[in-house]
């Protein structure tokens, strides 16, 4: 009888963050201290944080934790790359920019949950999709309707439809 050696458990592979809000917070503020003042516990906290403006640190969180480029992020936020680079650490994003950044992080968390891991989510976001007229999902995220389309595609994948 051949027995296999047990595979050691890697704690980093476990999904220990349970709520979507805490996953979004970890994505946006993984390295910073401001995460304690920007909690996404419920819809009212989220709305207040978006209205007040997310800090520049949240931009760094997206750039550090995803395969989204600075140019792609600037397009999603409706600003130039140059303007994105001008933000100081003390600056807050506008409510509109904060809203798009929050939606992007929410969508990224959803894609990671549906597709299984960050690498697969990053690949899927940057791959042309026939359901999007051969555009990539990341190209569609400069409008709210584009976000809706990508959420719909993720739901189709989750329920076993080919997308």
């Amino acid at each position: 009888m051949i027995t296999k050696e047990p595979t050691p458990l890697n704690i980093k592979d476990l999904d220990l963050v349970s709520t979507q809000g805490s996953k979004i917070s970890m994505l946006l503020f993984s390295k910073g201290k401001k995460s304690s003042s920007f909690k996404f516990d419920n819809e009212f906290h989220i709305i207040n944080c978006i209205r007040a403006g997310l800090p520049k640190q949240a931009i760094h969180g997206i750039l550090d934790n995803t395969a989204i480029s600075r140019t792609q992020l600037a397009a999603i936020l409706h600003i130039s790359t140059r303007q994105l680079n001008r933000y100081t650490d003390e600056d807050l994003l506008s409510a509109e920019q904060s809203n798009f950044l929050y939606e992007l992080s929410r969508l990224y968390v959803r894609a990671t949950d549906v597709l299984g891991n960050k690498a697969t989510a990053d690949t899927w976001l940057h791959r042309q999709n026939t359901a999007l007229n051969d555009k990539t999902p990341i190209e569609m995220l400069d409008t709210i309707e584009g976000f809706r389309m990508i959420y719909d595609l993720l739901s189709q994948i989750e329920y076993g439809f080919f997308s």
Side-chain angles (χ1 to χ4, degrees), residues 92-159:
L92 295 176
L93 302 175
S94 71
E96 179 189 16
Q97 293 164 344
S98 295
N99 193 42
F100 274 98
L101 191 64
Y102 176 80
E103 282 301 316
L104 174 62
S105 59
R106 188 170 160 240
L107 182 118
Y108 190 82
V109 166
R110 175 88 168 115
T112 303
D113 287 345
V114 169
L115 299 171
N117 58 52
K118 286 173 55 170
T120 306
D122 285 329
T123 301
W124 184 81
L125 286 169
H126 290 88
R127 184 182 303 145
Q128 289 182 332
N129 193 309
T130 54
L132 301 172
N133 289 334
D134 291 327
K135 302 267 189 218
T136 65
I138 202 78
E139 290 177 86
M140 306 303 291
L141 301 180
D142 61 339
T143 65
I144 297 301
E145 184 64 15
F147 274 96
R148 187 194 61 75
M149 288 174 68
I150 304 309
Y151 276 115
D152 288 350
L153 277 178
L154 287 169
S155 292
Q156 290 173 11
I157 291 169
E158 183 177 34
Y159 290 103

Side-chain angles (χ1 to χ4, degrees), residues 25-50:
S25 184
M26 292 286 294
L27 179 67
L28 292 175
F29 304 111
S30 61
K31 294 182 181 177
K33 300 173 186 172
K34 288 200 179 210
S35 62
S36 60
S37 59
F38 289 91
K39 292 192 179 186
F40 302 125
D41 297 339
N42 64 47
E43 291 84 5
F44 297 107
H45 288 151
I46 294 166
I47 291 168
N48 289 336
C49 288
I50 290 171

Side-chain angles (χ1 to χ4, degrees), residues 31-82:
K31 294 182 181 177
K33 300 173 186 172
K34 288 200 179 210
S35 62
S36 60
S37 59
F38 289 91
K39 292 192 179 186
F40 302 125
D41 297 339
N42 64 47
E43 291 84 5
F44 297 107
H45 288 151
I46 294 166
I47 291 168
N48 289 336
C49 288
I50 290 171
R51 285 179 177 161
L54 294 174
K56 179 189 178 189
Q57 179 187 356
I59 290 172
H60 291 301
I62 289 290
L63 293 174
D64 292 344
N65 294 310
T66 69
I68 297 169
S69 72
R70 187 172 291 277
T71 304
Q72 291 167 329
L73 183 57
I76 292 167
L77 298 179
H78 299 227
I79 58 175
S80 68
T81 312
R82 201 169 148 176

